[in-house]
Amino acid sequence: KNIDEATNSPLAQQLFYLPFVKTVYISGNFIAIEKFSIVEWEDVKEAVADQIEAFVANGGIIIVPSESKTKIQPITVYGETTPNPSALKFVVNKMLTKTTVEFKNIDEAAASPLAQELFKFPYVKEIFIDENYISVTKYAVSEWQEITLELRTFIKQFIENGGTVLDESLIVAHKELENTKTENFDNLDVTSQQIINILEEYVKPAVQADGGNIAFESYDEATKTAKVILQGACSGCPSSTFTLKSGIENMLKSMLNDDAITVEAVNA
């Protein structure tokens, strides 16, 4: 409609310098021009045709191809409370990763551009990413009602704009560690294997629903103590001790038929 709209067409820009050109339309193998009434086509059409022919003959660009832009994929992100008042779970309506990762600080977050950006918020203390959610643990200096919208909006826009949540190539060491644990399973004692199976089948799904994770660390047959690692929202949660003793410990005692079993979190 005007020269300002013709930034991707050098030919159209040149035609708009003609005082009678009102609109330029380019399609297929033709150029249509709408003129103002100040002239008659009989008086100018040959001159316009010659100008277009000379422009093309001299290698002029008719249309500059538009750069292909990454199409924004709309997603939904919502905040979900966890038993830990310092942690909030941001759930995304798409799978983010099949690898569970936890970052205590920005130096540990090289594999996650999203986590690196989140750590730039002064109130972000720790980040845990699993499947379709990100658990953020905050410092006590801020209240959730003050920062939830900012975090949710940032996470939503970051993912919609094609940002990388996790670079799988940079977490090879983590995967190798997981594979080693799987290979070592057969070398464990029967009780340890039973504890791992119970944690995986009965405990982990509930813990993940609360924005965290639990991992088997060791079992001491002499003291009958099972040690576990708490991650995400479960790490540092005030109710984690209650969960360990009244929930997981009682479950192991009942399912393994041994009232002497105790459970400890190595990072509680």
Side-chain angles (χ1 to χ4, degrees):
K1 295 293 184 180
N2 54 63
I3 196 169
D4 292 332
E5 293 181 357
T7 53
N8 68 329
S9 175
L11 171 58
Q13 287 181 316
Q14 181 168 313
L15 290 171
F16 275 117
Y17 285 116
L18 299 172
F20 54 83
V21 171
K22 182 179 181 181
T23 305
V24 177
Y25 179 81
I26 302 173
S27 179
N29 67 335
F30 69 89
I31 298 136
I33 298 174
E34 181 185 7
K35 67 175 181 63
F36 290 105
S37 57
I38 56 175
V39 296
E40 298 297 329
W41 274 124
E42 289 299 319
D43 299 328
V44 298
K45 66 179 181 179
E46 294 301 330
V48 173
D50 290 343
Q51 183 171 326
I52 293 172
E53 185 175 355
F55 181 89
V56 174
N58 291 327
I61 297 174
I62 298 174
I63 294 287
V64 177
S66 300
E67 293 183 6
S68 58
K69 296 182 179 179
T70 303
K71 203 171 182 180
I72 291 180
Q73 298 293 331
I75 64 162
T76 300
V77 179
Y78 66 89
E80 193 174 278
T81 58
T82 74
N84 186 349
S86 295
L88 195 66
K89 178 181 176 183
F90 292 91
V91 183
V92 184
N93 66 331
K94 63 175 285 186
M95 182 64 71
L96 301 176
T97 178
K98 293 182 179 179
T99 306
T100 300
V101 289
E102 183 177 42
F103 306 112
K104 298 290 188 181
N105 54 63
I106 194 170
D107 293 332
E108 295 181 357
S112 175
L114 172 59
Q116 287 181 317
E117 292 301 316
L118 288 173
F119 273 119
K120 293 177 183 178
F121 291 99
Y123 45 76
V124 172
K125 182 180 180 182
E126 297 175 12
I127 295 168
F128 177 79
I129 304 174
D130 190 17
E131 295 187 346
N132 68 326
Y133 68 87
I134 302 111
S135 283
V136 177
T137 302
K138 68 174 181 65
Y139 288 104
V141 293
S142 300
E143 298 299 328
W144 282 120
Q145 61 263 30
E146 301 169 347
I147 62 177
T148 298
L149 179 60
E150 182 178 31
L151 283 174
R152 187 183 69 81
T153 301
F154 178 82
I155 292 170
K156 174 179 168 64
Q157 292 179 347
F158 183 91
I159 298 173
E160 280 185 338
N161 291 323
T164 301
V165 176
L166 271 180
D167 185 343
E168 300 291 336
S169 66
L170 295 179
I171 50 178
V172 174
H174 180 90
K175 287 184 176 179
E176 289 177 349
L177 179 61
E178 290 299 312
N179 291 337
T180 301
K181 287 182 178 179
T182 302
E183 292 169 2
N184 290 341
F185 180 83
D186 293 335
N187 299 323
L188 295 173
D189 59 273
V190 174
T191 304
S192 293
Q193 292 179 342
Q194 290 175 324
I195 292 173
I196 291 174
N197 288 333
I198 291 171
L199 292 177
E200 290 290 327
E201 185 173 356
Y202 299 102
V203 180
K204 185 171 284 190
V207 170
Q208 287 178 324
D210 286 335
N213 189 46
I214 187 169
F216 174 81
E217 174 67 17
S218 63
Y219 175 70
D220 188 329
E221 185 66 43
T223 61
K224 299 205 173 196
T225 301
K227 293 186 177 181
V228 298
I229 299 172
L230 298 177
Q231 296 176 307
C234 297
S235 178
C237 177
S239 62
S240 61
T241 301
F242 177 81
T243 301
L244 286 172
K245 296 298 179 182
S246 299
I248 300 170
E249 188 174 290
N250 287 342
M251 180 184 293
L252 292 180
K253 287 178 178 179
S254 174
M255 298 184 77
L256 298 178
N257 196 27
D258 189 342
D259 289 336
I261 291 178
T262 61
V263 178
E264 295 179 1
V266 297
N267 58 334

